[in-house]
Amino acid sequence: MSPFGVPSVDLLSEQIEAVLVDPATTHGLARALRAASKEIKLHRYHHASRHAWPNGRIDDKPAKVQIGGGAHRIDGFFNIDLVPPADLLWDIREGIPLQDDSAEEIFSEHFLEHIDYPRSVKHYVREAHRVLVQGGRIVTGVPDAALALSQYPGALEGSDEMIRRWYAKRDGLGDINTRLDLVNLVFRDQDDDPTYTPHLWAYDHDKLVQLFTEAGFTTVEPWTFDPTIANPKRQWGSVYVIATK
């Protein structure tokens, strides 16, 4: 079967697991294989959904769509995500599987920083522009890199608010030793911890404006935080914009 077929992927997954349990496997190889194993799992979800509608787009036309919501569900929003629970399991890096000019609103928070820039990020933003109706809007929230950078250089106190709000429960708390460590976490959070999805790019307000403007959105403005939609724990330290087609 094709190397992209499910049986071949399953065999590869078994081989990876066998190498991971080998005590002789080096840390570097194990780290790379854990990432590959995760991508294989995501491929399985994507593969199953893709074959349900060969043209790559679902027939339903949800008016409100949440991207990458994870366990944070919003009433009235159709949630598309890589992993359960979700209304549709789909790899957004491969596009948004909705019809042209079909959605009125898209919402995502703390998702954009987890996909690669520029290929997947710019593709996703262009896709959002395609699926939104004229006048439709997309709200995007991300960790605010400007906040982390505004405090650098400077001394790091044990009571630092960013540590307390974002990282106090992390096993690697003892490795946050300098202000630059916090900057690195915003830019590439938990790159070596398999329980977390790493950050691949950092954003501030200006970058979000540039990104959505480049994709053809007519206006990009700050979004007033709404806890009935957004996750309240994301309010501190995040930057949100609303872009209108």
Side-chain angles (χ1 to χ4, degrees), residues 93-152:
R93 294 173 297 183
E94 303 303 317
I96 301 178
L98 301 177
Q99 304 293 332
D100 294 355
D101 305 305
S102 60
E104 297 173 4
E105 184 175 350
I106 297 174
F107 178 86
S108 80
E109 60 181 346
H110 287 240
F111 155 75
L112 200 66
E113 70 274 15
H114 294 292
I115 61 176
D116 55 286
Y117 179 94
R119 188 270 183 195
S120 294
V121 169
K122 291 196 173 185
H123 181 51
Y124 161 70
V125 175
R126 289 192 298 266
E127 282 283 277
H129 188 272
R130 175 185 65 78
V131 305
L132 284 169
V133 299
Q134 194 64 38
R137 306 183 302 173
I138 177 171
V139 174
T140 302
V142 291
D144 189 1
L147 174 64
L149 293 172
S150 69
Q151 301 177 61
Y152 175 84

Side-chain angles (χ1 to χ4, degrees), residues 49-57 90:
S49 295
R50 183 182 57 178
H51 284 271
W53 13 275
N55 68 347
R57 297 175 189 175
W90 183 258

Side-chain angles (χ1 to χ4, degrees), residues 47 54 62 67 80 87 89 94 110 120 125 127 152 171 185 197 220 222 229:
H47 181 85
I67 302 294
I80 303 175
D87 298 303
L89 297 174
E94 303 303 317
H110 287 240
S120 294
V125 175
E127 282 283 277
Y152 175 84
D171 292 338
L185 283 171
T197 302
V220 187
I229 299 176

Side-chain angles (χ1 to χ4, degrees), residues 10 20 29 43 45 48 65 71 73 99 136-137 142 144 184 196 226 232:
D10 286 343
L20 285 174
L29 178 59
H43 170 80
Y45 292 140
V65 179
R73 306 300 298 272
Q99 304 293 332
R137 306 183 302 173
V142 291
D144 189 1
N184 272 293
Y196 292 92
D226 180 356

Side-chain angles (χ1 to χ4, degrees), residues 33-214:
L33 290 179
R34 284 197 302 266
S37 180
K38 182 175 181 179
E39 288 294 338
I40 288 172
K41 181 185 292 186
L42 301 180
H43 170 80
R44 286 197 184 101
Y45 292 140
H46 186 88
H47 181 85
S49 295
R50 183 182 57 178
H51 284 271
W53 13 275
N55 68 347
R57 297 175 189 175
I58 62 176
D59 294 329
D60 294 341
K61 296 182 179 181
K64 296 183 178 182
V65 179
Q66 182 184 19
I67 302 294
H72 178 70
R73 306 300 298 272
I74 309 172
D75 290 342
F77 280 72
F78 183 82
N79 187 31
I80 303 175
D81 204 346
L82 281 166
V83 295
D87 298 303
L88 177 64
L89 297 174
W90 183 258
D91 189 347
I92 286 294
R93 294 173 297 183
E94 303 303 317
I96 301 178
L98 301 177
Q99 304 293 332
D100 294 355
D101 305 305
S102 60
E104 297 173 4
E105 184 175 350
I106 297 174
F107 178 86
S108 80
E109 60 181 346
H110 287 240
F111 155 75
L112 200 66
E113 70 274 15
H114 294 292
I115 61 176
D116 55 286
Y117 179 94
R119 188 270 183 195
S120 294
V121 169
K122 291 196 173 185
H123 181 51
Y124 161 70
V125 175
R126 289 192 298 266
E127 282 283 277
H129 188 272
R130 175 185 65 78
V131 305
L132 284 169
V133 299
Q134 194 64 38
R137 306 183 302 173
I138 177 171
V139 174
T140 302
V142 291
D144 189 1
L147 174 64
L149 293 172
S150 69
Q151 301 177 61
Y152 175 84
L156 181 65
E157 303 294 335
S159 60
D160 185 272
E161 189 171 15
M162 188 176 295
I163 294 178
R164 178 170 56 82
R165 288 179 178 269
W166 287 355
Y167 304 112
K169 296 181 180 180
R170 298 292 176 89
D171 292 338
L173 187 61
D175 295 319
I176 305 176
N177 309 124
T178 69
R179 179 65 59 183
L180 187 57
D181 290 328
L182 283 180
V183 173
N184 272 293
L185 283 171
V186 171
F187 277 74
R188 55 191 302 272
D189 188 3
Q190 300 297 324
D191 186 49
D192 196 33
D193 188 332
T195 61
Y196 292 92
T197 302
H199 290 182
L200 300 181
W201 208 258
Y203 297 88
D204 61 5
H205 177 266
D206 290 347
K207 181 56 188 175
L208 291 175
V209 170
Q210 180 275 320
L211 190 63
F212 286 99
T213 301
E214 180 183 282

Side-chain angles (χ1 to χ4, degrees), residues 9-21:
V9 168
D10 286 343
L11 177 59
L12 179 58
S13 181
E14 293 175 4
Q15 294 171 334
I16 287 175
E17 292 305 316
V19 175
L20 285 174
V21 298

